[in-house]
Amino acid sequence: MRLRLAGAVLLLAAAYYVYLPLPSGVSEPWKLMLLDALFRSFMQASDVAHALGVCHRIHLLNHVVSWVEEIEARSCPAVHVTDTVLGGVPTRVFQPKGGKQLKRGVIYFHGGGWALCSGRMRSYDHLCRKMAEDLDSVVMSVDYRLAPDAVFPAQYHDALAASRAFLSAEVLERYSIDPERVCVSGDSAGGNLAAAVAQELSSDDALTVNFKLQALIYPVLQALDFYTPSYQQNRDVPILYRPIMARYWLQYLGADTSLEPLLLANNHSSLDQPALSSSIRSKLDWTALLPAERRKHFQPVVRETGSPRVMGEVPQLIDVRAAPLLAEQGVLGRTPKAYVMTCEFDVLRDDGLMYVRRLQDAGVTVTSDHYEDGFHGCMVFAYLPMMSKVGWRSMNNYIHWLDQNL
C-alpha cells in the first residue's frame, strides 16, 4: 500500500512538473510539454552548476547536447557524408551519389542561440541528409564558433568566411556544384547568420558567383523590441521563452547578462536613446509592418525614458550584421529571392514577418510560409524521438520550395 501511495505521489509530481498550459492551436501539445520538461531540467541543472562555479551553464548544456545528439559522419547508399573545413570553419558535407553531373548547392547554419548545437547533431544530420537526397544537392552544414567562448562578430565572420569559400571556383568545381543554383539557409540564430551573409555578399560587386536564394527558418532578426505581438502572445510558450531569447542576445553580443531585465522592459529602446533614430525605429515598427491579424489587440511598449547604459555598453544592438532587420532598403533590395518560415506560437514570429514585409517593400520576391500550429524549432524535431507532425510538414514544404526554386 505504501509503495502504491509513493508511486502515485511521484506520478502526480511528475505530471505537475511536465504539465504546462498551452494555446489550444499548438500542434501535439503533450509532445511539446514533454520536450519542454526535458529542456527545463537540463537548463535548471546548468544554472545550478553555473551558480556553484562548476562550469558555465552553456558549457554544461553543450556537453549534454554533444553526448546525446552528436553523431559521426556516416555515409549511406544515397549520400556521401564527410567532415571537412570550409573557409577555416569546421563543416559537414553531404554529397548525393549519382544524379546529375552538376549539383545544386546549399550552405546551412544551425540554430541554438549562437551558443548551442552543432551541424553534427542527429537532427541536423537527418535534415541535411534528406535535403541532399531529395534535391540532388550538395549541402554544407557549418559549425561556426559558439558563445560564450566566441562572441559577435565571431559567429558572423565564420558564416561569412564559410560562405565565401562555398562560392569560390575551387569549392564549386571540387564538389561539382552549379554556380547558378546556390542557396544560403539556416534556422533561428542560423537564420540570422544566413540573412546577414546574404546582405553582405549581395552587395559585394567583386564576387563572380552569388546566392540565387536565401531560405530563413524562423529567424531571429532584432533585439530592440521585446514587446512585439509575438513576444507578448508567446512569452510563456516553449521552447523559446522570452527571457531566454534576451539572454541569448546578451551572450552573443558579449554583454553582461545582468542587463536582461532592461532588455525585457524595452528600456534600451526608449525614446530618449540618441542612438535610435526615427529611421532605425521605422524598420521595426510592427504597427505598420505587420498585418492586422498578427497585431491583434496588442499595443506597443515604448518607454519615454530608459537606461542609456545598455546602448552605451552594447552598441552592437544596432549593428546590421547582428540585426539584419535594421538594414537599409537599398541593401535589402539587392538580396536574393527569399523564403521565410514563421510559426504562430514563436516569440520570433514577428521578426520573420516584418522581414518579409521589408524585403517585399524593397522589391524582393518572397515566399512567406506560416504555420498556424507551429512552435519555435519545430522543423528540427521532425524525426525521432519527437516526430513532430508540424515539424515533418514544415520540413517537407521547405525542401519542396527549394526544389521548385533552386
Side-chain angles (χ1 to χ4, degrees), residues 65-83:
V65 168
S66 298
W67 179 65
V68 174
E69 272 280 300
E70 285 193 10
I71 59 176
E72 294 180 358
R74 293 176 181 169
S75 299
C76 64
V79 181
H80 182 60
V81 183
T82 55
D83 287 331

Side-chain angles (χ1 to χ4, degrees), residues 34-149:
L34 289 168
L35 180 67
D36 175 64
L38 183 65
F39 278 22
R40 276 188 286 123
S41 299
F42 288 149
M43 294 190 74
Q44 288 163 0
S46 69
D47 285 342
V48 171
H50 187 93
L52 294 175
V54 176
C55 64
H56 194 286
R57 59 172 61 87
I58 295 297
H59 289 155
L60 179 59
L61 286 173
N62 264 326
H63 283 313
V64 172
V65 168
S66 298
W67 179 65
V68 174
E69 272 280 300
E70 285 193 10
I71 59 176
E72 294 180 358
R74 293 176 181 169
S75 299
C76 64
V79 181
H80 182 60
V81 183
T82 55
D83 287 331
T84 186
V85 174
L86 185 66
V89 186
T91 300
R92 179 160 290 184
V93 181
F94 301 81
Q95 295 173 265
K97 299 177 182 178
K100 296 180 180 179
Q101 184 176 358
L102 271 184
K103 309 293 186 183
R104 294 183 270 201
V106 179
I107 185 169
Y108 194 91
F109 304 113
H110 67 81
W114 306 282
L116 298 170
C117 303
S118 163
R120 300 186 301 276
M121 285 172 55
R122 184 177 287 102
S123 52
Y124 286 110
D125 187 277
H126 287 337
L127 169 64
C128 294
R129 195 178 294 263
K130 181 174 174 59
M131 290 167 64
E133 184 174 0
D134 290 1
L135 297 171
D136 191 31
S137 170
V138 176
V139 181
M140 300 195 180
S141 183
V142 179
D143 267 334
Y144 52 87
R145 287 171 288 175
L146 300 174
D149 300 319

Side-chain angles (χ1 to χ4, degrees), residues 64-358:
V64 172
V65 168
S66 298
W67 179 65
V68 174
E69 272 280 300
E70 285 193 10
I71 59 176
E72 294 180 358
R74 293 176 181 169
S75 299
C76 64
V79 181
H80 182 60
V81 183
T82 55
D83 287 331
T84 186
V85 174
L86 185 66
V89 186
T91 300
R92 179 160 290 184
V93 181
F94 301 81
Q95 295 173 265
K97 299 177 182 178
K100 296 180 180 179
Q101 184 176 358
L102 271 184
K103 309 293 186 183
R104 294 183 270 201
V106 179
I107 185 169
Y108 194 91
F109 304 113
H110 67 81
W114 306 282
L116 298 170
C117 303
S118 163
R120 300 186 301 276
M121 285 172 55
R122 184 177 287 102
S123 52
Y124 286 110
D125 187 277
H126 287 337
L127 169 64
C128 294
R129 195 178 294 263
K130 181 174 174 59
M131 290 167 64
E133 184 174 0
D134 290 1
L135 297 171
D136 191 31
S137 170
V138 176
V139 181
M140 300 195 180
S141 183
V142 179
D143 267 334
Y144 52 87
R145 287 171 288 175
L146 300 174
D149 300 319
V151 298
F152 178 81
Q155 289 87 334
Y156 167 79
H157 283 158
D158 282 358
L160 187 61
S163 297
R164 288 190 180 279
F166 177 73
L167 296 174
S168 69
E170 178 188 355
V171 169
L172 295 174
E173 182 178 355
R174 182 191 311 159
Y175 292 98
S176 299
I177 298 173
D178 187 340
E180 296 183 357
R181 305 179 78 184
V182 287
C183 170
V184 61
S185 186
D187 65 290
S188 194
N192 168 285
L193 295 173
V197 163
Q199 290 179 10
E200 175 66 24
L201 295 185
S202 63
S203 297
D204 188 346
D205 294 327
L207 288 177
T208 56
V209 176
N210 220 317
F211 292 113
K212 180 182 181 181
L213 303 175
Q214 56 180 324
L216 316 177
I217 314 300
Y218 29 78
V220 50
L221 300 167
Q222 61 86 28
L224 291 180
D225 189 356
F226 284 90
Y227 277 94
T228 62
S230 60
Y231 266 115
Q232 295 185 57
Q233 171 184 292
N234 301 310
R235 62 192 306 156
D236 297 320
V237 177
I239 57 174
L240 184 61
Y241 295 98
R242 188 168 165 268
I244 292 176
M245 191 63 248
R247 183 184 298 179
Y248 280 148
W249 267 113
L250 291 169
Q251 288 173 163
Y252 177 43
L253 300 179
D256 189 338
T257 54
S258 68
L259 298 174
E260 182 183 314
L262 299 180
L263 261 65
L264 292 175
N266 272 3
N267 277 0
H268 63 308
S269 55
S270 56
L271 294 176
D272 64 341
Q273 300 287 347
L276 301 183
S277 64
S278 58
S279 175
I280 289 176
R281 293 182 187 278
S282 70
K283 293 164 185 169
L284 43 83
D285 178 9
W286 56 261
T287 63
L289 294 172
L290 292 180
E293 64 266 24
R294 305 302 169 199
R295 298 196 303 269
K296 300 179 182 176
H297 61 280
F298 297 106
Q299 298 296 317
V301 175
V302 183
R303 310 293 181 189
E304 290 288 337
T305 58
S307 172
R309 171 190 170 201
V310 182
M311 292 305 301
E313 292 184 17
V314 200
Q316 305 96 309
L317 286 164
I318 56 174
D319 190 321
V320 295
R321 298 173 301 171
L325 183 60
L326 304 182
E328 296 294 335
Q329 187 172 22
V331 172
L332 295 179
R334 299 187 65 173
T335 62
K337 185 177 182 178
Y339 168 94
V340 182
M341 182 191 296
T342 52
C343 295
E344 182 62 21
F345 302 108
D346 178 6
V347 293
L348 301 180
R349 180 198 70 189
D350 295 341
D351 282 27
L353 292 178
M354 286 191 286
Y355 201 57
V356 167
R357 174 64 185 277
R358 292 213 60 222

